[in-house]
Amino acid sequence: MNGVSDDRGLLARLRAEGYDFFTGVPDRSLARLQRDAADLVDAQHVPATWEAEAVALAAGSALAGARPCVYLPESGVGYALEPLLSLCRPWGVEPLLLVGRAPAAAGTPAGAAGCALLDAVGWSAYRVIGAAA
Amino acid sequence: MTPELPAVGRAEALAEIVRRHGTEALYVVAAGYLAGALREVVGERATVLYLPAGAGLAPAVGLGVALAARREVVVINGDAALLASLGTTHTLRDRAPAHFFHYVLDNGGRESAGERPSPRLEGAYSGVTEILAVTRDGAPGRSAPAPSANAAEVRDFLARPLAPGGAATAQARPPLELVVLPPGVSPRRRRG
C-alpha cells in the first residue's frame, strides 16, 4: 500500500503505469479522478452501482487482458472483499484499488476499518487517496 | 391474475442458449447448480467462465470481459442471483455493448441453497436479454472446474483469433423457441 494526499493528476499517472480500465464508486476524495475518467471512452471507464460490482467488472476485464483500477470509498471496502477473495484471488487477477479516505471527522465505522480489512486478508494492491494518506 | 406460464427443463434451456450463440462465444455462468448443469450440457464444446462464488456478480464479470474483448459474451444467471445485484442491470443498460447477452433462468429460488424461494421477478429488466422460466431439476452430475485452471482456459480462449463470423452478434438469429416472457408478465414455475 502507498498513499497520496489528493488525486490531482492521478489518472494520468495511472495510465502512464499501464492501467487502462477504470471502474468504481464515487467518493469525494476521488472527485478529480472521476471527473478525469469521465473523459475516457466508454469501454475504459464504467461507473458501478456498488463496490462488489466494480471489482467484478475489473476481474472480467483483467481476464480479457486489461489492467484495471477500482476506485471506492474506504467505507465500501467491506463490499469489495467478497469478489476480491472469491473471484480475483482464485482467478489470479489483481485489480488496483484506489481507496478514498475521508477526513477523520467525516469518517464512519466501516470507513475506519476499510484498509485494515484489506491488510487482514493480505490484499496489498491498493493505494489510499485523501486525508491522512 | 398472471397466467401460469409453462417452464422448460434447465438443461433444455441451457442447450438452446448455447445453440443460439455457438462455440465462439464466451459463456459466463453464475455459481451454483447452473454452473454444473451448463458444464453437463456443453462439455468441452464451448468455453465457460464459472464463477466460484459471488452471488449476483456474473453479469458484471461478463460486462468487464465484453468491454475488453470482441467475442460474444453470454451471461447465464439465476433469478436469485439477479436480485442479489439488481443495480447491475442499470450498468448493463447504460454500458453493455451489442455483443453482450444476459439470460436469466428463473426457477423461483436458490435451488442449490436448499430450495429456498426468492422474491418473484418482474417480467423484464433493463440489461436482461431474456428471462426463461425453468423447472427445478436438482443437483447436476458435474461440478465446475478449479477456478485457476478455468481462468487460464478463458484467458487462452480470449487471446485466440476469432473464427470467421465469430464476432457477429446473435441478434440477427431466430429467437429462442422457449418461454419468452412479455413485458409485465412474471414467470411462474411448473412444480412437480
Side-chain angles (χ1 to χ4, degrees), chain A residues 21 40-50 52-66 79 82-83 86-87 89-94, chain B residues 49-55 57-69 84-85 87-91 94-95 147-152 154-155 158:
Chain A
F21 180 72
L40 297 172
V41 298
D42 279 358
Q44 288 186 313
H45 176 231
V46 178
T49 60
W50 66 309
E53 177 188 308
V55 174
L57 272 158
S61 75
L63 287 176
Y79 293 126
E82 207 262 346
S86 64
L87 300 180
R89 193 165 275 172
W91 287 340
V93 300
E94 196 172 69
Chain B
L49 177 61
Y50 298 91
L51 264 68
L57 299 179
V61 171
L63 177 59
V65 174
L67 290 172
S85 186
T88 301
T89 59
H90 290 252
T91 308
D94 293 346
R95 297 304 183 98
S148 59
N150 182 221
V154 167
R155 286 180 196 271
L158 292 173

Side-chain angles (χ1 to χ4, degrees), chain A:
Chain A
M1 186 273 284
N2 59 40
V4 295
S5 58
D6 69 47
D7 61 344
R8 200 168 305 150
L10 181 59
L11 182 68
R13 292 199 299 276
L14 291 166
R15 295 190 73 190
E17 292 176 40
Y19 292 99
D20 55 9
F21 180 72
F22 300 85
T23 180
V25 174
D27 182 73
R28 187 177 299 178
S29 59
L30 298 167
R32 287 191 190 88
L33 174 74
Q34 293 151 50
R35 210 164 39 234
D36 293 345
D39 291 334
L40 297 172
V41 298
D42 279 358
Q44 288 186 313
H45 176 231
V46 178
T49 60
W50 66 309
E51 292 81 355
E53 177 188 308
V55 174
L57 272 158
S61 75
L63 287 176
R67 286 196 68 197
C69 284
V70 176
Y71 55 86
L72 72 169
E74 192 167 14
S75 59
V77 166
Y79 293 126
L81 278 183
E82 207 262 346
L84 287 174
L85 298 180
S86 64
L87 300 180
C88 295
R89 193 165 275 172
W91 287 340
V93 300
E94 196 172 69
L96 175 66
L97 303 187
L98 305 169
V99 180
R101 176 168 286 172
T108 65
C115 290
L117 290 171
L118 292 172
D119 294 337
V121 301
W123 189 273
S124 58
Y126 74 89
R127 300 179 193 177
V128 177
I129 317 295

Side-chain angles (χ1 to χ4, degrees), chain B residues 56 59 77-87 89 102 104 121 125 128 131:
Chain B
N77 209 359
D79 55 303
L82 173 72
L83 293 175
S85 186
L86 195 57
T89 59
H102 178 199
V104 176
L121 299 186
Y125 293 90
V128 175
I131 302 172

